[in-house]
Amino acid sequence: MNKSRQSFSIEEYKIQASILLKSLRGSDAEKAAKRFKRLPEFADLSIADILQKEIKRKHALLLIAMENGFNSWLDLKMQVNFIVGGYLNSWFTNYSEAKLHLQSTSGFLLPYKNQFFICNANYMKQIGFEPDDPDWKLISHDWVEPLDKKAWQRLYKKWSQSKGGRHE
């Protein structure tokens, strides 16, 4: 069920996680349990053991994220919300090339799956960030490898609150 090439909204991914959790209690329970074996926490368990465990929403969200090519639910949330149409951004497959480009121009370095891109302030406003926030300077406009982790956390918290988000 890898749909990594297909783009969904965060709500659609949450719905997938809810359906997955419900399937653990239905006629597709074994099939759902096999999917959960992909998580490191459940990899060594038998299907029967997984069916006996209390599988939580966070597990389903993580599995949905992994099945779609992301490292974590947070990674999925951030990257899905970063993709907005209508902007010409500079894309890179290599972080060091993206960082070098950022240092020679202005902008903001953001991730998308295994790639990186540099965008402008208008794009940042579109996705819910305040590009003039002083914390951007503290992290060197680099979301991927921020210089100041606390500044990154503040930016994430402000962004999440602006989206009406919870930290799921």
Side-chain angles (χ1 to χ4, degrees), residues 20-37 42 45-55:
L20 175 59
L21 280 175
K22 286 179 185 169
S23 69
L24 274 173
R25 308 296 171 239
S27 60
D28 285 340
E30 281 193 31
K31 186 177 177 183
K34 284 180 187 174
R35 287 174 66 190
F36 277 98
K37 284 185 70 68
F42 302 123
L45 298 178
S46 70
I47 300 300
D49 289 340
I50 291 172
L51 290 170
Q52 296 301 312
K53 291 221 37 104
E54 183 183 340
I55 307 284

Side-chain angles (χ1 to χ4, degrees), residues 96-159:
S96 53
E97 289 176 10
K99 184 68 172 184
L100 189 61
H101 183 77
L102 177 65
Q103 292 168 343
S104 67
T105 63
S106 62
F108 302 84
L109 194 159
L110 300 174
Y112 180 70
K113 294 192 179 182
N114 295 323
Q115 298 180 9
F116 309 92
F117 65 102
I118 308 295
C119 62
N120 64 24
N122 289 331
Y123 181 90
M124 295 304 284
K125 287 178 187 174
Q126 181 74 27
I127 63 172
F129 282 107
E130 178 50 55
D132 296 325
D133 188 310
D135 282 333
W136 281 107
K137 194 170 197 167
L138 294 174
I139 69 166
S140 292
H141 295 94
D142 182 345
W143 191 263
V144 180
E145 292 187 12
L147 286 179
D148 184 327
K149 300 283 188 200
K150 290 191 187 303
W152 182 92
Q153 290 170 340
R154 287 190 301 270
L155 283 168
Y156 174 74
K157 185 175 181 181
K158 288 179 243 181
W159 173 82

Side-chain angles (χ1 to χ4, degrees), residues 12 16-17 28 44 61 66 74 79 87-88 92 104 111 130 134-135 141 148 167:
E12 289 167 314
Q16 288 180 18
D28 285 340
D44 295 332
L61 292 170
M66 289 174 62
L74 175 60
Q79 293 186 34
Y87 289 92
L88 185 59
F92 303 87
S104 67
E130 178 50 55
D135 282 333
H141 295 94
D148 184 327
H167 301 285

